Amino acid sequence: MKMWMSLQAALRQVRYLLYPPKCVFCGEALTGSDGFCAQCIEKLSFYERPVEGGGGTFYERCYCALPYEGAVRRSLLHYKFYGKSAYAAAYAALLAGFLAGFDEVMAVDVVTWVPVSRLRRRERGYDQAELLACALAARLGKPCRALLQKVRDSAPQPGKGKAQRRANVLGAFAAARGAHIAGEQILLVDDIFTTGATMEECARILKTEGAACVLGAAFARTPLPKAHACAAHGGEWLYFTEND
C-alpha cells in the first residue's frame, strides 16, 4: 500500500512538472493549485450587490460575481467552447467566496443549474453550468441536484434584445423527471447572466413546481451600459434594480 501511494505521489509530481497548473485568466504557470494568480485576483472588480428580480419575476435575486469583460470574458469563452472544463473549480472557488457574504444564499436547501440541451452537451462534452454548480455546491456544503432539463434546443441568445431573448427560451425548459422541488429554497447557477431571460424562465418552472424561493448565482454578468451603472470605490458597481 505504501509503495502504491508513493508511486501515485511520484506520478502527480511528474504530471505537475510536465503540465503545471495555469491561471484561468492569464495562462501563467502557477506554484499552487488554486487556478488563478495573485496578480489577476488583484485586478478583478467584484459586483457589490445582487440583481433584483423586480415585480412579476420568479427569481428573487441573482448574485453575479464579476463583469463579463476583459480577462474574465476570454477565460469563460475558453471554458465554454475550447474544452477548458477544469476551469470550473477555480470559478467555483471565487464564486463561493463572493457568495459567502450573503446570508440568504447560505441558507438555501439545494443547488441546481441552468442546463444545456443534449445536442449542446454532446458537442461540448460537458455542461458548463452543471460543472460550475457541482463545484460550487461542494464549496458551500450544499447538495447539488438536477432539477431542470432543457426540452427544446433554442437558438443562441447573443445578438438578441430582451424581449427576443424571453421569447426564445419560453417553453425551452421543464422540471427534471422525478425532481423534488416543492418547498425547496433553491440556488440556480449559470455561468453568465445577461438580461435574466434564461434565469427567469428556469425560475418560472421551479416556482410552478412549488419551489419556496429561487435565488440565482452567476460567475459573470454582462456589464450595464454606463447610463445605468457607475463605478464605485474599489471598482465595484453600484446597486441597480431593473431586471434588464
Side-chain angles (χ1 to χ4, degrees):
M1 177 63 74
K2 288 184 178 180
M3 182 180 296
W4 172 245
M5 292 177 67
S6 298
L7 178 59
Q8 284 185 314
L11 289 173
R12 282 196 298 269
Q13 184 65 20
V14 170
R15 189 163 55 245
Y16 179 85
L17 292 173
L18 293 176
Y19 307 102
K22 296 181 179 180
C23 176
V24 299
F25 298 117
C26 70
E28 291 296 317
L30 300 172
T31 55
S33 58
D34 291 335
F36 39 81
C37 67
Q39 291 80 3
C40 285
I41 292 298
E42 289 178 359
K43 296 175 184 177
L44 296 179
S45 297
F46 286 83
Y47 283 112
E48 185 178 26
R49 298 182 182 179
V51 179
E52 293 290 341
T57 57
F58 293 92
Y59 65 90
E60 279 74 9
R61 276 161 292 284
C62 184
Y63 294 85
C64 307
L66 296 164
Y68 181 59
E69 59 187 5
V72 173
R73 180 177 182 275
R74 290 192 297 272
S75 180
L76 279 167
L77 289 175
H78 280 85
Y79 174 57
K80 292 180 70 167
F81 302 115
Y82 295 97
K84 300 294 186 179
S85 58
Y87 284 11
Y91 295 161
L94 288 173
L95 185 54
F98 170 73
L99 294 174
F102 300 98
D103 291 341
E104 66 172 354
V105 175
M106 302 307 294
V108 300
D109 301 311
V110 62
V111 177
T112 193
W113 63 90
V114 174
V116 298
S117 66
R118 291 182 180 178
L119 174 61
R120 193 64 55 81
R121 187 185 184 110
R122 283 198 300 269
E123 290 174 346
R124 294 181 184 169
Y126 54 92
D127 182 332
Q128 75 278 354
E130 178 183 3
L131 294 182
L132 177 58
C134 290
L136 176 63
R139 288 269 181 178
L140 298 179
K142 304 288 182 179
C144 188
R145 302 200 309 265
L147 302 183
L148 295 162
Q149 59 180 326
K150 195 164 189 183
V151 294
R152 178 170 60 80
D153 191 23
S154 54
Q157 293 281 57
K160 292 181 170 60
K162 182 177 178 179
Q164 290 175 313
R165 283 172 174 262
R166 287 192 172 181
N168 188 43
V169 296
L170 186 64
F173 300 92
R177 185 175 301 176
H180 173 69
I181 297 173
E184 299 277 45
Q185 298 186 73
I186 299 169
L187 184 64
L188 176 61
V189 175
D190 206 355
D191 53 339
I192 303 168
F193 181 101
T194 302
T195 66
T198 302
M199 183 74 65
E200 173 68 3
E201 177 63 10
C202 288
R204 183 183 70 83
I205 299 299
L206 295 172
K207 283 291 185 71
T208 300
E209 293 293 321
C213 171
V214 179
L215 299 173
F219 182 67
R221 181 197 172 155
T222 302
L224 289 173
K226 295 302 182 182
H228 297 287
C230 58
H233 63 279
E236 295 172 339
W237 294 92
L238 293 178
Y239 189 44
F240 31 85
T241 57
E242 70 274 16
N243 178 33
D244 60 321

